[in-house]
Amino acid sequence: MTPQDARRAGRALYEVTQEAGTARLTLDGLTAFAALVEQHADLGKALLSPFVTGEAKRGIVGQLSTALGIGPAAGHTLQLIAERHQMDGLAGIVKELKAQVHKQERRVDAEVTTAVALDAAQIDQLREVLSQATGQQVTLSARVDPAVIGGALTRVGSVVYDGTIARQLARIKEQFVQQG
């Protein structure tokens, strides 16, 4: 499945599930299934293998969907792409469906990278500030990268705010080079 096909499939799945009021449930189901496949490399290999029949893949996906309690739209989608040997498109479908669901829910993903770990209170405070700034509900994840040196690198959706000391030092270096 091409990336374009995956995006189209994700948008179409959103439209169908939004009308039924199950878009969030479908996203959660597909996300849970994708996480399971990621955790079990052999499962992923089997679902991507051209040597495993579509019918066998459909059976595997059906059993796992039932075990995970995945809703009907997500289960049907998984069985369909498994049977057609297009499981490689799952990540793209989930990405597009997530974008559409988050847009409808006025929710945005954000990630903050700092040199040292933030405590829960700092994360909550940053989440609140970002929510107020964007007018959306923010889902915030935090990473630690010692190369940041200090400050924070924050990505909200596709917008990046670089307030790191590493970036400030790079700017100063650029100014010195330009001045000769």
Side-chain angles (χ1 to χ4, degrees):
M1 179 178 289
T2 68
Q4 285 178 313
D5 289 339
R7 280 193 302 274
R8 273 194 297 265
R11 278 193 299 273
L13 183 58
Y14 171 75
E15 289 173 12
V16 169
T17 57
Q18 182 59 26
E19 287 176 15
T22 60
R24 167 52 68 183
L25 176 67
T26 302
L27 174 60
D28 292 346
L30 292 178
T31 301
F33 188 88
L36 180 69
V37 171
E38 193 173 305
Q39 291 172 359
H40 300 281
D42 289 340
L43 173 61
K45 287 177 187 175
L47 292 173
L48 291 171
S49 174
F51 302 110
V52 177
T53 67
E55 186 177 314
K57 290 178 184 180
R58 185 179 175 99
I60 292 168
V61 167
Q63 289 178 356
L64 292 173
S65 295
T66 300
L68 291 171
I70 291 176
H76 180 71
T77 300
L78 289 167
Q79 288 182 349
L80 186 65
I81 62 175
E83 186 175 35
R84 294 184 179 179
H85 302 283
Q86 295 182 331
M87 210 41 127
D88 59 335
L90 179 59
I93 292 170
V94 169
K95 182 179 178 181
E96 182 62 28
L97 180 60
K98 182 178 184 180
Q100 296 296 323
V101 169
H102 280 195
K103 184 177 176 181
Q104 186 265 332
E105 293 177 342
R106 300 193 43 76
R107 177 187 304 252
V108 67
D109 288 331
E111 179 182 68
V112 62
T113 303
T114 56
V116 295
L118 299 177
D119 63 35
Q122 291 170 316
I123 291 172
D124 288 342
Q125 183 180 12
L126 181 57
R127 181 182 298 112
E128 182 61 32
V129 168
L130 292 172
S131 290
Q132 289 175 1
T134 62
Q136 299 182 48
Q137 190 176 13
V138 174
T139 303
L140 182 63
S141 61
R143 285 186 334 121
V144 174
D145 181 357
V148 167
I149 302 173
L153 176 70
T154 306
R155 181 192 51 79
V156 180
S158 61
V159 178
V160 177
Y161 302 96
D162 191 343
T164 62
I165 291 177
R167 179 63 187 139
Q168 291 172 14
L169 291 172
R171 283 187 200 138
I172 292 170
K173 180 180 175 183
E174 288 171 12
Q175 290 174 349
F176 280 135
V177 170
Q178 287 177 355
Q179 291 176 356

